[in-house]
């Protein structure tokens, strides 16, 4: 039996002093990240386009820690290496996008508010999970911070591999990865299903069932807009110069965003678990979500210089907001993870024409779908809900691909 890596996320309950130390840890790692980014930029601009690599910057850490023991020398050496690796991965992704012709997205400097995670690559090196096993309260020991209480609501199975500290608003979390035995698969049900992702309904399956779209972002949009409007009244100042009212406004916006994020995750987990529990094989559309939420390209007016033609930007913005609110990408990632642990098979198929092809006669035409919800084949007269038809075609394409792979 193989081994798998599972992640656990627990709320930490630091003291006031530990909270300050955790904030200083993020600040100093952010400073290290920005300094390494600046070194790479300067070397490329002024030293004959020289590229600085991770190995060179990691070798400088010893000198940096000795030069600034108060801010850099107090933290884990391995966690600082992980921060430099994060920057190296950002540059690797940048060069890959340049080579493939995508939007480059050059790595940017991080503000203190935009640097919220510190990674420890190995348990026991600068950190220790449950460092005091005889204490009934679970703790995690972090170098430079101390033993921080953790609200552990479920046991950690297997051997802890990595530890990360993450800040969300004013809350602190510890994220663990643990290596464990592959769990036993769920009993076979003999059922297969195809699913069609949508906006009106979160998904429709090939059996004719629908999962409503909860639209968590839209339901909280009014309160979030009011909170952001209240925050916009404060002038932009440094974090340490903010008034108490400013800090409360920032916390309120972060709290509302966190609530929406948790609601989406909860809905995704429950929906994915129901599918994995009931079906042995699940086929879904191979959606290019990043392309679906891109901003509409402007259309210059060739007759009037400096003017632009209508490009449907308003409608595209509304569609992009609805796609993001549905959280398809998060759901599909959770579905694949749960299916792997349960011994189920998930397969992505090409979504082209799945909602225009008749499941009865196979005729494909745009006219087969006269409205968003209606499917009416102009060749054989077959009628059904358009999302159900799409799910049926997705399932058939998935079964064909599965049989071809096993042949």
């Amino acid at each position: 039996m193989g081994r798998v890596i599972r992640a656990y996320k627990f709320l930490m309950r630091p003291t006031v002093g530990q909270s300050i130390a955790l904030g200083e840890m993020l600040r100093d790692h952010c400073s290290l990240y920005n300094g390494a980014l600046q070194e790479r930029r300067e070397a490329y601009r002024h030293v004959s386009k020289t590229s600085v690599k991770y190995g060179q910057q990691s070798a400088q850490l010893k000198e940096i820690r000795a030069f600034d023991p108060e801010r850099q020398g107090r933290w884990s050496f391995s966690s600082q290496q992980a921060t430099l690796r994060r920057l190296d991965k950002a540059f690797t992704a940048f060069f890959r996008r340049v080579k493939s012709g995508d939007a480059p997205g050059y790595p940017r400097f991080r503000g203190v508010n935009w640097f919220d995670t510190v990674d420890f690559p190995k348990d026991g090196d600068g950190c220790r999970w449950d460092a005091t096993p005889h204490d009934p309260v679970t703790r995690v020991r972090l170098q430079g911070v101390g033993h921080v209480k953790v609200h552990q609501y479920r046991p950690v199975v297997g051997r802890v591999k990595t530890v990360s500290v993450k800040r969300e608003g004013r809350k602190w979390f510890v994220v663990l990865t643990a290596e464990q035995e592959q769990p036993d698969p769920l009993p076979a049900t003999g059922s297969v299903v195809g699913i069609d992702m949508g906006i009106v309904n979160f998904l429709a399956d090939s059996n004719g069932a629908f999962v409503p779209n909860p639209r968590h972002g839209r339901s909280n949009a009014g309160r979030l807009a009011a909170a952001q409007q209240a925050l916009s009244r404060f002038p932009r100042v440094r974090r340490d110069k903010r008034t108490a009212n400013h800090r409360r406004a920032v916390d309120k916006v972060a709290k509302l965003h966190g609530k929406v994020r948790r609601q989406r995750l909860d809905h995704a987990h429950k929906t994915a678990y129901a599918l994995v529990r009931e079906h042995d094989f699940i086929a879904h559309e191979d959606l290019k979500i990043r392309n679906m939420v891109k901003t509409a390209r402007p259309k210059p007016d060739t007759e009037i210089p400096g003017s632009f033609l209508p490009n449907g930007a308003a409608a595209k913005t509304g569609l992009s907001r609805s796609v993001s609110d549905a959280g398809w990408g998060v759901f599909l990632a959770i579905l694949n993870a749960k299916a792997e642990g349960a011994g189920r098979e998930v397969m992505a198929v090409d979504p082209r024409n799945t909602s225009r092809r008749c499941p009865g006669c196979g005729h494909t035409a745009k006219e087969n779908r006269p409205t968003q919800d209606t499917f009416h084949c102009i060749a054989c007269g077959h009628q059904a809900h358009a999302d159900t038809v799409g799910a049926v075609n997705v399932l058939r394409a998935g079964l064909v691909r599965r049989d071809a792979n096993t042949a």
Side-chain angles (χ1 to χ4, degrees):
M1 181 178 294
R3 302 184 69 83
V4 295
I5 300 295
R6 289 287 181 264
Y8 298 84
K9 183 179 180 181
F10 301 120
L11 176 68
M12 295 198 298
R13 302 190 184 277
T15 63
V16 174
Q18 289 172 340
S19 295
I20 295 174
L22 288 168
E24 292 172 346
M25 180 175 68
L26 287 182
R27 177 201 65 193
D28 295 339
H29 279 75
C30 178
S31 177
L32 177 66
Y33 182 97
N34 289 336
L37 174 56
Q38 180 67 24
E39 182 185 24
R40 291 193 180 218
R41 291 182 58 173
E42 294 297 328
Y44 190 81
R45 287 178 176 178
H46 304 300
V47 192
S48 302
K49 296 186 177 182
T50 301
S51 295
V52 178
K53 303 297 184 181
Y54 161 76
Q56 298 169 267
Q57 295 188 316
S58 179
Q60 301 173 25
L61 270 178
K62 188 175 181 180
E63 297 178 7
I64 293 173
R65 291 165 61 87
F67 178 77
D68 191 2
E70 293 296 325
R71 296 192 59 176
Q72 296 296 337
R74 61 188 291 201
W75 310 118
S76 163
F77 190 90
S78 296
S79 68
Q80 293 172 325
Q81 287 181 315
T83 297
L84 295 179
R85 285 195 194 94
R86 186 192 306 184
L87 176 63
D88 191 63
K89 289 180 180 178
F91 271 96
T92 301
F94 164 71
F95 288 119
R96 183 183 67 247
R97 290 191 294 268
V98 170
K99 188 175 181 180
S100 62
D102 298 333
Y106 189 84
R108 295 183 295 177
F109 291 102
R110 300 292 188 91
V112 176
N113 296 338
W114 295 96
F115 195 94
D116 293 329
T117 305
V118 171
D119 300 318
F120 298 85
K122 182 180 179 182
D123 182 37
D125 188 358
C127 65
R128 173 68 69 182
W129 169 247
D130 201 11
T132 53
H134 300 293
D135 193 329
V137 179
T138 304
R139 287 178 168 85
V140 59
R141 184 186 67 81
L142 303 170
Q143 181 176 327
V145 179
H147 293 78
V148 185
K149 290 183 179 179
V150 176
H151 177 63
Q152 184 183 359
Y153 63 92
R154 61 170 175 161
V156 176
V157 180
R159 182 169 65 90
V160 175
K161 301 280 288 182
T162 67
V163 178
S164 298
V165 173
K166 183 176 178 61
R167 178 180 61 194
E168 294 183 6
R170 286 199 172 187
K171 294 182 179 180
W172 294 92
F173 295 87
V174 58
V175 182
L176 314 172
T177 60
E179 185 180 40
Q180 54 191 240
E181 296 289 342
Q182 177 76 39
D184 295 331
L186 294 177
T189 63
S191 175
V192 295
V193 71
I195 57 175
D196 180 87
M197 312 296 296
I199 298 297
V200 178
N201 292 300
F202 181 73
L203 65 81
D205 68 26
S206 53
N207 298 322
F210 298 90
V211 175
N213 186 1
R215 301 178 185 269
H216 296 300
R218 177 177 292 185
S219 62
N220 290 277
R223 281 170 289 182
L224 185 56
Q228 290 175 325
Q229 185 177 19
L231 176 60
S232 68
R233 297 191 183 102
F234 294 93
R236 284 193 171 185
V237 295
R238 284 169 34 191
R239 189 181 183 92
D240 57 345
K241 298 293 185 181
R242 291 176 180 173
T243 64
N245 287 336
H246 191 178
R247 288 194 294 269
R248 279 192 287 269
V250 172
D251 292 340
K252 187 171 184 179
V253 172
K255 185 177 180 179
L256 287 170
H257 277 296
K259 177 183 177 181
V260 173
R261 182 172 60 253
R262 291 191 298 273
Q263 287 176 326
R264 288 191 186 124
L265 279 173
D266 180 70
H267 180 259
H269 276 285
K270 290 177 179 177
T271 305
Y273 178 70
L275 288 170
V276 168
R277 183 183 55 191
E278 297 171 5
H279 307 288
D280 296 338
F281 176 81
I282 304 166
H284 67 85
E285 300 166 291
D286 187 10
L287 300 174
K288 307 301 181 184
I289 301 174
R290 181 173 296 181
N291 295 336
M292 297 173 68
V293 298
K294 282 185 177 180
T295 305
R297 291 184 177 182
K299 295 182 179 180
D301 191 340
T302 56
E303 298 181 359
I304 307 177
S307 300
F308 295 88
L309 299 172
N311 63 344
K316 181 66 170 64
T317 300
L319 177 61
S320 299
R321 187 179 292 116
S322 297
V323 170
S324 299
D325 191 16
W328 295 340
V330 172
F331 166 73
L332 292 175
I334 292 173
L335 176 64
N336 279 276
K338 289 186 180 296
E340 180 184 1
R344 307 304 202 200
E345 186 176 5
V346 176
M347 185 165 291
V349 301
D350 190 345
R352 286 179 295 182
N353 294 322
T354 51
S355 61
R356 298 178 177 180
R357 183 182 304 113
C358 178
C361 66
H363 178 72
T364 303
K366 180 180 179 180
E367 293 74 20
N368 284 351
R369 190 173 183 176
T371 66
Q372 177 68 28
D373 299 335
T374 306
F375 182 91
H376 188 181
C377 180
I378 60 176
C380 70
H382 178 77
Q383 297 185 37
H385 194 286
D387 292 342
T388 302
V389 169
V392 170
N393 287 323
V394 166
L395 175 59
R396 291 180 177 178
L399 292 175
V400 169
R401 185 177 176 187
R402 183 188 67 173
D403 294 341
N405 290 343
T406 56

